[in-house]
Amino acid sequence: MRPLLAVVSFSVAALLVSDAAAQTGPANMVALQAEVETVYNLSDGTQVRSSGRFYRSRSGQIREDSKLGAVITDVAAGTITMLIAETKEARVITIPPEQKQGPVRSNRPGPEVFEETTVAGHRVSKARGRGPQGQNIEFWTAKDLGVVTWTKTEAAGFTTTKELRNISTQEPSPALFAVPADYTVIEQEARSGNGPQRVLPRPRGQGSPPAR
Amino acid sequence: MCRIRCVAVLVTFFALMVAPAVSQAQYTFLVNGSFDDSPDWAQSGSGEFNAIAATYGVSPEPWQWTSNSWYQVIPPYYTGIVDGGFALANFLNNLPPGDVNLISHSHGGNVVIMSQAWSSRPIRRYIQLATPINWDFGNWRYALGYNTAGRCQASSTADWKQFFGSSPYQVGNFFYYSYQSIAGAIEAFEALLNGDYDSSYWWFAQSVFDAIEADYWLDTTKLEIEGPTFVFGGLSHAALHEPGVWNAIAPYCA
């Protein structure tokens, strides 16, 4: 019975929100535009940089993009859209309306806050954690914006730093959360598989051997 | 004139003979699974880390995707896996030239698969440890084949986390046919006790068929059709990223 309950609960989708939205809630969302830069420092000294932009609308739509494309999450519409620049494809994953539920707040325990300060005019909480194998993580959350503005993860000589810069609270253009006109839209329901159609349950007692 | 030309050819020949071979850089990245950004198995000093380093002759690096809380990896959104795939694609796209090996655990494997929606960077080896074979990721599962020289999957018959990480479509069909098989067996025994041997035979046959169907759906969560799958018996989800498993598959996968 327990596995069946697990399957049922597993199959009932929850609206997914970012950790930032989980802190502020959709009703208090602050619009954001910012540059995003991720820097990876490998143990041999190699540095890899990846840059793009981050957008969040007051209604909770989120977009992060780079020269490869973008990922657009629209909680209200129940979609996640992958824009692929090379092929000009837009893959849209949609959750059926009957499976929508309310926002889910993250109750995952995080590292302890060690400092409250002001960075670039925003109140920032700095938190830090350490793992048993020496891995470190530190992140700064701008409480007034409801977004993590800086993270650093160090493990085995590999360091990842992600930063939001030049943050603006101007509402992004709605066009940023729409599929460009020259893109081919491929709708994909995440539930679908490639196997045979599911057979309807067969009530007990029905079905009998063929007559001789 | 010929003497000068001949000397030049000889000098060039010997220069090429003694010049150091230009070695291709090799990168090996360990991609974490769900619920833990920096798992111990991917850290320097762990048994798995050391075993992988011994195989490749160079220390691997733990590449992390952090959007991996439970609500970010459950169907049907899988937003964390999509975001992680996008981040990995951007990382691979900006990585200097060289061979790339990607070794992933659990949903980290699906992050790698998702990254192929954007990345066309050739991958030398892609090794999945306990990755749920999730049909919800559709065509992207096969896109990896175009860029990967070699691919391997390690699964365990006792790994229920891998099973529940697959599509609800696969999981649901397993439980449906399991239920039908048990219900059919009950019908068969009731018919047998009532002396209805024809019906009993029919229900037994149906029960066996349903059990085979259920086993098929269970296998779909564990067997990767795009590359060889090594199936271990009785190992837990975490045990698949231990040195014993790595050393067993490395001769064929690494």
Side-chain angles (χ1 to χ4, degrees):
Chain A
M1 189 61 182
R2 191 175 294 177
L4 190 59
L5 282 175
V7 169
V8 170
S9 60
F10 205 73
S11 301
V12 176
L15 279 178
L16 302 176
V17 297
S18 65
D19 278 334
Q23 294 174 21
T24 63
N28 300 322
M29 205 73 71
V30 175
L32 288 176
Q33 297 189 45
E35 295 171 4
V36 181
E37 184 171 62
T38 309
V39 179
Y40 303 90
N41 289 292
L42 279 61
S43 59
D44 65 353
T46 303
Q47 189 176 79
V48 178
R49 286 179 177 269
S50 168
S51 59
R53 290 194 63 84
F54 175 86
Y55 304 90
R56 189 176 73 192
S57 70
R58 286 197 197 91
S59 60
Q61 297 164 303
I62 294 173
R63 171 181 171 130
E64 185 166 344
D65 61 31
S66 71
K67 60 184 177 181
L68 294 182
V71 176
I72 303 169
T73 305
D74 191 331
V75 173
T79 61
I80 181 166
T81 303
M82 302 164 56
L83 299 181
I84 303 162
E86 185 182 12
T87 57
K88 289 197 180 297
E89 280 181 353
R91 292 183 175 266
V92 183
I93 304 172
T94 307
I95 173 174
E98 64 270 15
Q99 288 192 2
K100 283 188 183 179
Q101 284 193 342
V104 175
R105 287 187 174 273
S106 170
N107 57 0
R108 181 183 179 188
E112 286 189 20
V113 175
F114 67 92
E115 184 179 347
E116 299 274 356
T117 185
T118 300
V119 176
H122 301 287
R123 283 298 290 174
V124 165
S125 291
K126 296 185 178 182
R128 189 163 51 207
R130 188 177 176 86
Q133 294 284 342
Q135 57 272 42
N136 296 315
I137 183 168
E138 180 176 334
F139 61 90
W140 303 352
T141 306
K143 288 185 172 180
D144 56 337
L145 300 176
V147 69
V148 175
T149 57
W150 187 89
T151 61
K152 182 176 182 180
T153 309
E154 292 175 287
F158 187 92
T159 305
T160 307
T161 309
K162 186 170 183 178
E163 183 179 10
L164 294 184
R165 294 200 290 237
N166 299 324
I167 300 172
S168 160
T169 55
Q170 187 179 13
E171 174 75 7
S173 165
L176 289 167
F177 303 104
V179 175
D182 59 339
Y183 273 52
T184 303
V185 177
I186 301 171
E187 297 278 353
Q188 180 147 348
E189 271 202 28
R191 289 185 308 155
S192 64
N194 296 325
Q197 289 301 310
R198 185 170 174 172
V199 177
L200 290 174
R202 185 176 67 245
R204 280 191 62 196
Q206 289 193 8
S208 56
R212 287 186 173 178
Chain B
M1 198 62 181
C2 176
R3 188 177 297 176
I4 296 172
R5 195 179 300 170
C6 292
V7 169
V9 169
L10 280 173
V11 169
T12 303
F13 174 75
F14 283 114
L16 287 173
M17 290 287 287
V18 301
V22 177
S23 60
Q24 176 86 320
Q26 184 172 106
Y27 305 101
T28 299
F29 298 106
L30 310 180
V31 183
N32 58 293
S34 308
F35 316 130
D36 193 342
D37 302 342
S38 299
D40 294 343
W41 70 271
Q43 308 307 316
S44 176
S46 75
E48 182 77 345
F49 186 98
N50 293 338
I52 294 171
T55 298
Y56 290 110
V58 61
S59 290
E61 315 251 17
W63 188 92
Q64 296 150 326
W65 58 292
T66 56
S67 50
N68 60 7
S69 301
W70 70 271
Y71 63 93
Q72 292 170 307
V73 299
I74 62 172
Y77 276 122
Y78 304 107
T79 55
I81 295 173
V82 173
D83 290 341
F86 187 60
L88 179 59
N90 281 285
F91 172 75
L92 292 175
N93 191 61
N94 290 291
L95 191 66
D99 289 336
V100 175
N101 301 309
L102 294 172
I103 301 166
S104 58
H105 178 250
S106 193
H107 266 316
N110 289 314
V111 167
V112 174
I113 287 173
M114 192 63 72
S115 73
Q116 299 308 291
W118 293 278
S119 172
S120 56
R121 171 74 180 247
I123 297 173
R124 179 185 172 275
R125 292 290 186 270
Y126 169 45
I127 299 167
Q128 304 166 202
L129 306 174
T131 294
I133 311 300
N134 189 315
W135 286 9
D136 283 345
F137 296 120
N139 293 334
W140 304 316
R141 300 187 41 70
Y142 308 105
L144 193 67
Y146 304 127
N147 295 329
T148 305
R151 184 173 179 178
C152 268
Q153 162 85 16
S155 299
S156 167
T157 57
D159 185 357
W160 287 98
K161 288 183 181 178
Q162 179 192 33
F163 169 73
F164 281 114
S166 301
S167 168
Y169 181 76
Q170 296 164 270
V171 173
N173 272 304
F174 168 78
F175 282 109
Y176 167 71
Y177 284 106
S178 297
Y179 166 77
Q180 291 289 12
S181 178
I182 295 170
I186 294 173
E187 295 280 355
F189 277 113
E190 283 185 353
L192 189 66
L193 290 173
N194 292 332
D196 184 354
Y197 300 114
D198 284 346
S199 294
S200 176
Y201 173 80
W202 189 91
W203 279 112
F204 270 124
Q206 188 66 49
S207 174
V208 169
F209 171 82
D210 289 336
I212 294 171
E213 187 80 20
D215 191 53
Y216 162 78
W217 285 107
L218 180 64
D219 288 345
T220 65
T221 68
K222 298 187 179 295
L223 300 180
E224 175 57 72
I225 64 173
E226 286 294 304
T229 300
F230 294 83
V231 182
F232 296 84
L235 293 183
S236 68
H237 192 61
L240 285 169
H241 59 56
E242 292 298 316
V245 170
W246 175 259
N247 291 330
I249 68 173
Y252 311 97
C253 299

